[in-house]
Amino acid sequence: MAAEQGLSLVDLDRDGVDTAFREDVLQGLSEPQKAIPARWFYDDEGSELFEEITRLPEYYPTRAETEILTDRCDEFRTMIGGGRAVVEFGSGSSVKTPLLLNCIDPAAYVPLDIAGDFLRSSADALSAKFPGLPVYPVEADFVRKVELPIEVTAMPKLGFFPGSTIGNMVARTAVDLLRTMRATLGEGSQLLIGMDLVKDQAILEAAYDDAAGVTARFNLNLAHRINRELNGTIPIDALRHVARWNDAYSRIEMHLEALRPIEFEVSDHRFSMGEGDTIHTENSHKFSRRSSTTLLLASGWTPRQRWTDREERFSLILADATVPRSAP
Ligand code: AVJ
């Protein structure tokens, strides 16, 4: 229906099933190490649970990043300057955006998001806060190059990608995305990107396995979503939430672990898991100063400035889309 109207980016089949979701799940459950891309966490229920996560005492990234945005306002003003079109990748509810826009006197704001309704309502809310600022929401999947509105083509751009969402991607995918962002924004643009930092393992694991069990509900909601939307029969009570630090890959991994041998169906396909087998549901990579520099340089972005919160838990990095000299 939505696909016929050509309005939505989501392809639904005759039964109203999101075909990309079904493909990812069926494919991912067929692998020896079962794995489902983290982006499928965010249905309405999952998005609400994530909002709850950001308020948990153990989940420091949101507070740490907000602290940087608040404390470094003057430096953003100096290093970014006014007159730019701010292009936010995956704007969602745009809660951190006003903090940035207040500092830098932008010429326009272009929120990009795949969820159209959400995008437009949060763009309206932002317009109300910044009456003089032109806002051009674009419903787009920014893993591919996005054609920006004609009104901003002549303006210098600042890409804004907060939240350490880049950490969800393995290096190869992260480089693809950062290079695509560079293509979307163009030469001479800047990027302000949030990256979470490596720290004590116990702090990291607590941030992804909180005492109140909200992250566990967030993770298990993926199994519920599969049951709800893909005619699944996953016995949820036989799964437990696991968050563990993988030091070799410098990342927190979230899994759903089978507590006993189970069999279930999803969209008429049968699957089984042995006791202790897992479905890998998320990677959250953590960076050092060096690893973040390498990732950005490999993607055509030259880091210019790096800010951290007072406890050095989280970083915001400003980078330029300059062509680096390739002299030896
Ligand atoms: C939204 C990807 C930044 O990795 O910290 C939070 C998602 N998962 N708790 C993160 C998440 C579990 C979050 N990101």
Side-chain angles (χ1 to χ4, degrees):
M1 213 169 50
E4 275 165 32
Q5 293 171 337
L7 290 174
S8 170
L9 295 168
V10 182
D11 263 330
L12 304 180
D13 76 0
R14 265 176 272 105
D15 304 319
V17 177
D18 184 328
T19 51
F21 180 42
R22 183 172 48 206
E23 264 177 49
D24 277 358
V25 170
L26 292 180
Q27 163 79 43
L29 292 178
S30 308
E31 305 287 338
Q33 168 62 70
K34 295 180 178 354
I36 298 172
R39 67 190 194 100
W40 299 113
F41 278 135
Y42 302 93
D43 63 351
D44 289 347
E45 178 72 18
S47 301
E48 265 169 48
L49 285 167
F50 179 67
E51 291 300 315
E52 224 179 295
I53 286 174
T54 63
R55 293 189 293 269
L56 291 168
E58 296 95 333
Y59 193 76
Y60 61 85
T62 310
R63 276 188 304 279
E65 190 175 40
T66 303
E67 180 190 311
I68 305 169
L69 285 167
T70 310
D71 289 0
R72 304 300 184 146
C73 196
D74 292 344
E75 291 167 58
F76 295 148
R77 199 191 309 270
T78 312
M79 298 217 49
I80 296 166
R84 286 186 180 261
V86 175
V87 178
E88 183 166 6
F89 295 96
S91 48
S93 54
S94 299
V95 275
K96 291 163 192 162
T97 320
L99 296 172
L100 175 67
L101 297 183
N102 264 323
C103 302
I104 61 169
D105 192 23
Y109 173 57
V110 185
L112 309 181
D113 208 291
I114 193 161
D117 293 342
F118 200 43
L119 173 71
R120 278 177 286 274
S121 62
S122 48
D124 287 348
L126 197 121
S127 281
K129 270 191 206 160
F130 296 86
L133 181 71
V135 176
Y136 308 105
V138 178
E139 189 175 352
D141 186 354
F142 57 79
V143 303
R144 280 179 288 275
K145 187 185 172 196
V146 178
E147 216 56 65
L148 296 177
I150 186 93
E151 290 89 339
V152 306
T153 31
M155 298 175 186
K157 317 285 187 309
L158 171 74
F160 185 41
F161 194 36
S164 201
T165 304
I166 194 72
N168 268 181
M169 283 148 242
V170 297
R172 183 159 51 88
T173 318
V175 167
D176 282 349
L177 178 63
L178 290 166
R179 291 178 70 91
T180 302
M181 287 176 167
R182 194 179 182 285
T184 294
L185 296 168
E187 203 98 319
S189 55
Q190 294 178 315
L191 177 69
L192 185 63
I193 182 170
M195 293 197 196
D196 195 14
L197 298 172
V198 176
K199 59 185 63 63
D200 189 84
Q201 182 172 338
I203 295 174
L204 285 169
E205 286 179 345
Y208 292 83
D209 192 7
D210 60 282
V214 181
T215 311
R217 273 159 56 211
F218 175 73
N219 197 5
L220 286 159
N221 177 58
L222 182 61
H224 281 291
R225 183 180 184 187
I226 292 168
N227 285 354
R228 279 195 297 266
E229 294 183 26
L230 304 177
N231 240 321
T233 60
I234 303 172
I236 311 277
D237 64 327
L239 295 176
R240 97 180 162 103
H241 164 69
V242 176
R244 57 174 180 243
W245 175 246
N246 182 334
D247 196 57
Y249 289 97
S250 194
R251 68 193 186 200
I252 284 283
E253 295 183 1
M254 298 209 314
H255 295 255
L256 291 168
E257 182 185 294
L259 295 165
R260 51 178 167 82
I262 54 174
E263 288 187 13
F264 55 90
E265 282 183 24
V266 176
S267 285
D268 297 325
H269 296 253
R270 293 203 64 79
F271 300 98
S272 64
M273 295 173 72
E275 183 182 338
D277 287 354
T278 70
I279 306 171
H280 187 177
T281 50
E282 185 173 50
N283 290 318
S284 193
H285 291 85
K286 306 301 167 187
F287 300 90
S288 66
R289 169 183 288 268
R290 285 196 172 102
S291 71
S292 60
T293 297
T294 304
L295 179 61
L296 286 164
L297 287 174
S299 313
W301 292 100
T302 306
R304 292 294 178 213
Q305 187 65 262
R306 171 182 274 100
W307 296 276
T308 70
D309 61 304
R310 272 158 291 192
E311 293 174 55
E312 299 191 23
R313 296 168 297 180
F314 195 94
S315 65
L316 262 179
I317 302 167
L318 182 68
D320 286 344
T322 44
V323 187
R325 300 278 212 91
S326 53

